[in-house]
Amino acid sequence: MFRTALRNVLAHKARLLMTVLAVMLGVAFVSGTLVFTSTISSALQKSSEKGFTNTDIAITPSDSSANNHNKDGDGPSDWHELPQSLLKKVAKTPGVDQVTGTVSG
């Protein structure tokens, strides 16, 4: 059996080389894709961390505090609001050096 397989491989060298090339290309594409995905993921994570470099705590509204302001149908259905009084209250908390309010959407 081994002799027959070896004779068949030696008789079809081109087929063997094409199979080896196909396997090598497949492995190269898969490993390249994994490296590319890891690089993109790392770059996106680092870029999102830059926005919070000097931030120790971020206060955001929960989904349960959403007020439905869309009565006429031309705007976002759920607005998440934090009152200005909360910003002033946090600023008066002992140990707080600086408070900044931002709006994003």
Side-chain angles (χ1 to χ4, degrees):
M1 176 105 171
F2 181 71
R3 246 189 271 161
T4 305
L6 187 61
R7 193 175 336 138
N8 194 13
V9 166
L10 293 176
H12 303 285
K13 292 176 188 166
R15 186 184 300 169
L16 174 66
L17 289 174
M18 293 293 193
T19 303
V20 169
L21 180 66
V23 170
M24 287 176 56
L25 282 174
V27 169
F29 277 118
V30 168
S31 60
T33 301
L34 292 175
V35 168
F36 180 71
T37 304
S38 176
T39 304
I40 292 293
S41 175
S42 176
L44 288 175
Q45 184 177 5
K46 287 180 183 176
S47 70
S48 66
E49 287 174 358
K50 284 182 182 179
F52 297 103
T53 53
N54 296 323
T55 303
D56 293 327
I57 296 176
I59 300 173
T60 58
S62 66
D63 288 339
S64 63
S65 67
N67 297 325
N68 192 355
H69 291 287
N70 190 16
K71 304 294 185 217
D72 56 355
D74 34 306
S77 62
D78 292 328
W79 290 358
H80 302 282
E81 295 181 352
L82 292 176
Q84 183 69 26
S85 61
L86 179 64
L87 187 68
K88 293 175 184 175
K89 185 177 179 181
V90 171
K92 292 178 184 176
T93 305
V96 175
D97 292 334
Q98 183 180 3
V99 177
T100 305
T102 60
V103 177
S104 63

